Structure formats: structure tokens, C-alpha cells
Amino acid sequence: MDEIKKAIALKYEKEKDNAPKVVAKGKGVVAQKIIEIAEENGIYIKEDPELVEILSTLDIYEEIPEELYKAVAEILVFIYKNIQK
């Protein structure tokens, strides 16, 4: 049996936000649409099922908790390094 796909979208605006926040989340068809929109807009996609499970417990527009800063920071560093290339 195939596992149901899940997706979380994060947003972080350095000037406005204290921490990245969840701006979209879903599973199945909704998850696929989040992924499609990200791909269409050239947004980096990181597959991390454990992180998705944890982030899926957050509400939309809720900032990530401090204990997830390191995991999300590693993703952001990777993204910023690749944008500058």
C-alpha cells in the first residue's frame, strides 16, 4: 500500500518574521498541489518525512517552534547557497 503524500510550505521574511512559518499544508491531492505550485515557481523542495510529520502539527501561519530552528535553518542555508549560484 502506498503511503499518502504530505507537504508543508514554509515562508520566512527576515524583516517581518521572528521565525519561518507554515503557510500551507496538506496530504494527498492537496500535498500534490502544494508541490506542483512550488515546482512551477522554482521553489526548493526538500523531502524529509520526519520533519513534515512534526510541522504538520502546526497551524497555518504558526511560526515553527524553537526546537525546529536547526533543522529548518539547514534547509534555508542550502537554499540561499543555491540561489546565489
Side-chain angles (χ1 to χ4, degrees), residues 26-63:
K27 57 185 175 181
V29 176
V30 174
Q32 189 57 46
K33 189 64 177 173
I34 291 168
I35 293 166
E36 287 173 14
I37 291 170
E39 289 172 342
E40 289 168 3
N41 290 282
I43 296 171
Y44 174 72
I45 297 171
K46 167 76 172 160
E47 290 192 35
D48 187 332
E50 291 178 20
L51 186 57
V52 167
E53 280 301 318
I54 295 167
L55 291 173
S56 67
T57 66
L58 301 177
D59 292 329
I60 300 293
Y61 300 115
E62 183 176 351
E63 290 184 347

Side-chain angles (χ1 to χ4, degrees), residues 6-7 13 16-17 20 28 50-51 54 72 74-75 78 80:
K6 294 180 182 178
E13 293 182 57
K16 288 173 52 177
D17 301 325
E50 291 178 20
L51 186 57
I54 295 167
V72 173
E74 289 171 0
I75 295 168
F78 179 85
Y80 290 133

